[in-house]
Amino acid sequence: MATDDTPTRVLAAAGPVFADKGFQAATVREICQAAGVNLASVNYHFRDKERLYIETVKRAAHLREAQVPMPELPPGAPPEVKLRLFIQTTLTRMMGDRGAPWQVRLMTREVLHPSSACEELVRDYFRPHFDRLQAILNELLPPDAPLHLRHQIGFSIIGQCMHYRVAWHVMTLIVGADEVAAHYSTDALAEHITQFSLAALAQYRKPGSLTAAPSESLPPL
Amino acid sequence: MATDDTPTRVLAAAGPVFADKGFQAATVREICQAAGVNLASVNYHFRDKERLYIETVKRAAHLREAQVPMPELPPGAPPEVKLRLFIQTTLTRMMGDRGAPWQVRLMTREVLHPSSACEELVRDYFRPHFDRLQAILNELLPPDAPLHLRHQIGFSIIGQCMHYRVAWHVMTLIVGADEVAAHYSTDALAEHITQFSLAALAQYRKPGSLTAAPSESLPPL
DNA sequence: CGAGGGGTTAAACAGGTGTTTAAAACAATT
DNA sequence: AATTGTTTTAAACACCTGTTTAACCCCTCG
């Protein structure tokens, strides 16, 4: 493994460093030392620190997708099962087995503080993922559900998953380490989010629920 | 306004800079220049750059709570109305009127990459907020709902709100600026999240829904 | 054999970082 | 009015940053 290409070794070492400290705080010296290569290697093989960062981000997305691939959804399976599988995969990708891996931490930084690598990330990674979810929701929603509602329902599901990625530390401080250890496994959380979302989805199948103005369903204080 | 205390001016200038660039990338020189004070002021009045950062974070939370206070919930109001008001306030705090204000951007950084200021932030800001939500959920859930389920339902609601704070840019790239302009106002999003969550909550009132094992409600593929 | 070139290396470079210092300016008290 | 204590100031300090440079190594090809 130590006999790899120099660019490959730099790329491999850059991942965790950029994920932990961000683009600015990460230093070229630290990356090169971790890779066991000379300081000038970054500029020779990647021209810039920024170019190295962009390459690292792209590689992170590609790598994580290969690590946790979306399982084949049997075409005949009920959409409820498909949704659960989707949520399980999404959550597993975000959380990993022992904390979020550097690939995910790096992508999270990119989501919150987009750089020039973000658009490509959305095109090759986030949008296809979201489209899969939309396809499942299409089977669970009536045909006349407006597009923006389908999207917002998708974000409601993604948002529930993402929260455990983003706020894990704060969440642990709030509910305590014991409850987390007992009830916050990836499987348990996926089960909860699936059940919560499926129950929410059921309402849109009721006739007339889509035509009623929002203010009718609930009095304005 | 320009006649303020030097520490006050520094604190006011530090907020946006730290929010935009993060602790590391923000420079003391930039903060002092924005405040119109001498470079040594930070070290004289706050001892450290880090101390200044911590003070700035605390002030951000306190400030934002004052900017968007939680409206008085009439004790007799139905819990559905209380929940909608809670979601509206939460979303308004996170989004602001023209993009997330620096106070929120700074707190988001603290959530994702906690520093020594995080524990205090949770104790004085996030936990009381979450407790308010729990109190509302207690009125909407049967008395025998286990504690961890109440918490996870709370996170499902918070997570939906937080998603629009964290992933706003990516989300815009996915659904397009037109749809965002037409259907993603704070009020519209609050309405959707409320409706989605209330429908999800209804299932837990059905008798026996809490005793059924998760695997019973959905076949394992 | 030996000339050439891609890859590696240590050293240096120019600029920026947080922090410290000693002198100056100011305010308030005696 | 003199003196104390506090605040402000410009300059310097020591260190770290990304990047460049020129010498060097090693392998291939004529």
Side-chain angles (χ1 to χ4, degrees), chain A residues 131-171:
Chain A
D131 286 345
R132 273 178 182 265
L133 175 57
Q134 289 298 307
I136 297 171
L137 291 180
N138 285 344
E139 301 185 51
L140 287 161
L141 288 171
D144 58 335
L147 188 61
H148 68 88
L149 177 62
R150 296 167 188 270
H151 288 163
Q152 287 172 2
I153 290 172
F155 292 137
S156 281
I157 294 172
I158 297 283
Q160 290 178 74
C161 298
M162 189 108 96
H163 176 267
Y164 291 100
R165 162 70 196 97
V166 169
W168 185 265
H169 185 232
V170 168
M171 189 207 65

Side-chain angles (χ1 to χ4, degrees), chain B residues 182-200:
Chain B
H183 298 103
Y184 288 70
S185 70
T186 301
D187 280 346
L189 292 179
E191 196 60 42
H192 159 71
I193 294 173
T194 304
Q195 220 171 322
F196 189 89
S197 303
L198 279 177

Side-chain angles (χ1 to χ4, degrees), chain A residues 6 29 37-40 44-45:
Chain A
T6 298
R29 279 173 173 81
V37 303
N38 187 268
L39 170 62
Y44 183 81
H45 291 281

Side-chain angles (χ1 to χ4, degrees), chain B:
Chain B
M1 285 299 173
T3 69
D4 270 349
D5 234 3
T6 299
T8 306
R9 300 183 65 183
V10 171
L11 221 42
V17 177
F18 277 135
D20 280 341
K21 319 209 166 172
F23 175 76
Q24 280 264 8
T27 73
V28 176
R29 278 171 174 82
E30 183 182 0
I31 292 171
C32 288
Q33 188 170 355
V37 303
N38 186 268
L39 170 61
S41 303
V42 164
N43 297 97
Y44 182 80
H45 290 281
F46 297 91
R47 175 147 57 129
D48 260 346
K49 181 190 180 185
E50 189 178 346
R51 293 291 176 124
L52 169 61
Y53 176 79
I54 293 176
E55 289 304 312
T56 307
V57 170
K58 288 194 213 170
R59 185 168 163 273
H62 184 66
L63 221 63
R64 192 55 184 163
E65 199 171 17
Q67 285 173 352
V68 187
M70 184 69 64
E72 275 304 314
L73 297 174
E80 290 85 0
V81 172
K82 291 183 187 175
L83 183 67
R84 188 174 61 172
L85 233 58
F86 177 89
I87 291 173
Q88 267 178 345
T89 307
T90 302
L91 218 47
T92 304
R93 272 195 195 170
M94 288 185 181
M95 305 306 257
D97 290 334
R98 332 174 254 282
W102 67 263
Q103 294 89 346
V104 182
R105 300 203 306 273
L106 191 55
M107 281 190 279
T108 308
R109 282 187 185 272
E110 203 54 33
V111 169
L112 209 30
H113 306 105
S115 76
S116 50
C118 184
E119 284 185 34
E120 203 163 343
L121 209 60
V122 170
R123 175 165 50 81
D124 298 343
Y125 190 75
F126 293 129
R127 191 200 284 277
H129 192 68
F130 191 70
D131 286 345
R132 274 179 182 264
L133 175 56
Q134 289 297 307
I136 298 171
L137 291 180
N138 285 342
E139 300 186 53
L140 287 161
L141 288 170
D144 58 335
L147 188 61
H148 68 88
L149 177 63
R150 296 165 188 269
H151 288 162
Q152 287 172 2
I153 291 172
F155 291 137
S156 281
I157 294 171
I158 298 283
Q160 289 177 75
C161 298
M162 190 108 96
H163 176 267
Y164 291 100
R165 163 68 194 98
V166 169
W168 185 267
H169 184 233
V170 168
M171 189 208 65
T172 302
L173 288 177
I174 287 182
V175 305
D178 296 345
E179 182 176 315
V180 170
H183 298 103
Y184 288 70
S185 70
T186 301
D187 280 346
L189 292 179
E191 196 60 42
H192 159 71
I193 294 173
T194 304
Q195 220 171 322
F196 189 89
S197 303
L198 279 177
L201 277 163
Q203 75 176 308
Y204 302 107
R205 307 192 73 112
K206 290 188 297 188
S209 75
L210 294 173
T211 56
S215 49
E216 293 180 27
S217 62
L218 213 63
L221 190 137

